[in-house]
PDB file of all heavy atoms in Angstrom:
ATOM      1  N   ALA A 294       4.992   6.863 -18.201  1.00 41.00           N
ATOM      2  CA  ALA A 294       4.225   7.832 -17.442  1.00 41.00           C
ATOM      3  C   ALA A 294       4.927   9.196 -17.549  1.00 41.00           C
ATOM      4  O   ALA A 294       6.143   9.263 -17.527  1.00 41.00           O
ATOM      5  CB  ALA A 294       4.136   7.437 -15.981  1.00 41.00           C
ATOM      6  N   THR A 295       4.149  10.195 -17.683  1.00 36.00           N
ATOM      7  CA  THR A 295       4.754  11.504 -17.831  1.00 36.00           C
ATOM      8  C   THR A 295       4.136  12.457 -16.837  1.00 36.00           C
ATOM      9  O   THR A 295       2.979  12.753 -16.885  1.00 36.00           O
ATOM     10  CB  THR A 295       4.478  12.080 -19.253  1.00 36.00           C
ATOM     11  OG1 THR A 295       4.838  11.095 -20.168  1.00 36.00           O
ATOM     12  CG2 THR A 295       5.241  13.360 -19.470  1.00 36.00           C
ATOM     13  N   PHE A 296       4.884  12.860 -15.878  1.00 37.00           N
ATOM     14  CA  PHE A 296       4.477  13.970 -15.036  1.00 37.00           C
ATOM     15  C   PHE A 296       5.657  14.398 -14.164  1.00 37.00           C
ATOM     16  O   PHE A 296       6.635  13.751 -14.063  1.00 37.00           O
ATOM     17  CB  PHE A 296       3.221  13.652 -14.238  1.00 37.00           C
ATOM     18  CG  PHE A 296       3.425  12.561 -13.202  1.00 37.00           C
ATOM     19  CD1 PHE A 296       3.655  12.833 -11.898  1.00 37.00           C
ATOM     20  CD2 PHE A 296       3.369  11.243 -13.619  1.00 37.00           C
ATOM     21  CE1 PHE A 296       3.813  11.826 -10.990  1.00 37.00           C
ATOM     22  CE2 PHE A 296       3.532  10.198 -12.736  1.00 37.00           C
ATOM     23  CZ  PHE A 296       3.752  10.500 -11.380  1.00 37.00           C
ATOM     24  N   GLN A 297       5.464  15.545 -13.591  1.00 37.00           N
ATOM     25  CA  GLN A 297       6.534  16.139 -12.784  1.00 37.00           C
ATOM     26  C   GLN A 297       6.726  15.383 -11.488  1.00 37.00           C
ATOM     27  O   GLN A 297       5.789  14.834 -10.928  1.00 37.00           O
ATOM     28  CB  GLN A 297       6.125  17.543 -12.421  1.00 37.00           C
ATOM     29  CG  GLN A 297       7.115  18.558 -12.940  1.00 37.00           C
ATOM     30  CD  GLN A 297       6.709  19.892 -12.392  1.00 37.00           C
ATOM     31  OE1 GLN A 297       5.514  20.205 -12.302  1.00 37.00           O
ATOM     32  NE2 GLN A 297       7.706  20.645 -11.938  1.00 37.00           N
ATOM     33  N   VAL A 298       7.930  15.415 -10.990  1.00 43.00           N
ATOM     34  CA  VAL A 298       8.251  14.688  -9.745  1.00 43.00           C
ATOM     35  C   VAL A 298       8.712  15.675  -8.714  1.00 43.00           C
ATOM     36  O   VAL A 298       9.430  16.589  -9.007  1.00 43.00           O
ATOM     37  CB  VAL A 298       9.355  13.656 -10.070  1.00 43.00           C
ATOM     38  CG1 VAL A 298       9.889  13.043  -8.787  1.00 43.00           C
ATOM     39  CG2 VAL A 298       8.842  12.630 -11.016  1.00 43.00           C
ATOM     40  N   ILE A 317       8.085   6.390 -13.440  1.00 35.00           N
ATOM     41  CA  ILE A 317       7.994   7.831 -13.330  1.00 35.00           C
ATOM     42  C   ILE A 317       9.298   8.474 -13.779  1.00 35.00           C
ATOM     43  O   ILE A 317      10.331   8.025 -13.397  1.00 35.00           O
ATOM     44  CB  ILE A 317       7.675   8.202 -11.851  1.00 35.00           C
ATOM     45  CG1 ILE A 317       6.311   7.586 -11.506  1.00 35.00           C
ATOM     46  CG2 ILE A 317       7.639   9.695 -11.698  1.00 35.00           C
ATOM     47  CD1 ILE A 317       6.047   7.674 -10.053  1.00 35.00           C
ATOM     48  N   SER A 318       9.169   9.476 -14.532  1.00 31.00           N
ATOM     49  CA  SER A 318      10.347  10.167 -15.052  1.00 31.00           C
ATOM     50  C   SER A 318      10.844  11.233 -14.105  1.00 31.00           C
ATOM     51  O   SER A 318      10.072  11.908 -13.462  1.00 31.00           O
ATOM     52  CB  SER A 318       9.984  10.759 -16.381  1.00 31.00           C
ATOM     53  OG  SER A 318      10.526  12.001 -16.543  1.00 31.00           O
ATOM     54  N   LEU A 319      12.142  11.367 -13.991  1.00 28.00           N
ATOM     55  CA  LEU A 319      12.672  12.422 -13.129  1.00 28.00           C
ATOM     56  C   LEU A 319      12.532  13.797 -13.753  1.00 28.00           C
ATOM     57  O   LEU A 319      12.329  14.797 -13.094  1.00 28.00           O
ATOM     58  CB  LEU A 319      14.169  12.181 -12.888  1.00 28.00           C
ATOM     59  CG  LEU A 319      14.488  11.230 -11.753  1.00 28.00           C
ATOM     60  CD1 LEU A 319      15.961  10.916 -11.760  1.00 28.00           C
ATOM     61  CD2 LEU A 319      14.081  11.845 -10.450  1.00 28.00           C
ATOM     62  N   SER A 320      12.644  13.848 -15.023  1.00 27.00           N
ATOM     63  CA  SER A 320      12.658  15.114 -15.694  1.00 27.00           C
ATOM     64  C   SER A 320      11.270  15.585 -16.139  1.00 27.00           C
ATOM     65  O   SER A 320      11.060  16.699 -16.588  1.00 27.00           O
ATOM     66  CB  SER A 320      13.506  15.035 -16.928  1.00 27.00           C
ATOM     67  OG  SER A 320      12.925  14.099 -17.778  1.00 27.00           O
ATOM     68  N   GLY A 321      10.298  14.713 -15.932  1.00 27.00           N
ATOM     69  CA  GLY A 321       8.983  15.031 -16.405  1.00 27.00           C
ATOM     70  C   GLY A 321       8.808  14.551 -17.864  1.00 27.00           C
ATOM     71  O   GLY A 321       7.735  14.695 -18.441  1.00 27.00           O
ATOM     72  N   CYS A 322       9.843  13.933 -18.380  1.00 25.00           N
ATOM     73  CA  CYS A 322       9.717  13.377 -19.766  1.00 25.00           C
ATOM     74  C   CYS A 322       9.350  11.909 -19.638  1.00 25.00           C
ATOM     75  O   CYS A 322       9.559  11.314 -18.616  1.00 25.00           O
ATOM     76  CB  CYS A 322      11.054  13.478 -20.511  1.00 25.00           C
ATOM     77  SG  CYS A 322      11.666  15.130 -20.569  1.00 25.00           S
ATOM     78  N   ALA A 323       8.813  11.380 -20.676  1.00 28.00           N
ATOM     79  CA  ALA A 323       8.468   9.947 -20.660  1.00 28.00           C
ATOM     80  C   ALA A 323       9.733   9.084 -20.533  1.00 28.00           C
ATOM     81  O   ALA A 323      10.766   9.450 -21.033  1.00 28.00           O
ATOM     82  CB  ALA A 323       7.721   9.627 -21.952  1.00 28.00           C
ATOM     83  N   ILE A 324       9.615   7.999 -19.874  1.00 26.00           N
ATOM     84  CA  ILE A 324      10.757   7.084 -19.768  1.00 26.00           C
ATOM     85  C   ILE A 324      10.366   5.753 -20.311  1.00 26.00           C
ATOM     86  O   ILE A 324       9.241   5.385 -20.468  1.00 26.00           O
ATOM     87  CB  ILE A 324      11.181   6.929 -18.284  1.00 26.00           C
ATOM     88  CG1 ILE A 324       9.980   6.580 -17.455  1.00 26.00           C
ATOM     89  CG2 ILE A 324      11.891   8.166 -17.769  1.00 26.00           C
ATOM     90  CD1 ILE A 324      10.345   5.829 -16.229  1.00 26.00           C
TER      91      ILE A 324
END
Side-chain angles (χ1 to χ4, degrees):
T295 308
F296 64 99
Q297 239 188 319
V298 171
I317 298 170
S318 139
L319 275 173
S320 62
C322 304
I324 50 153

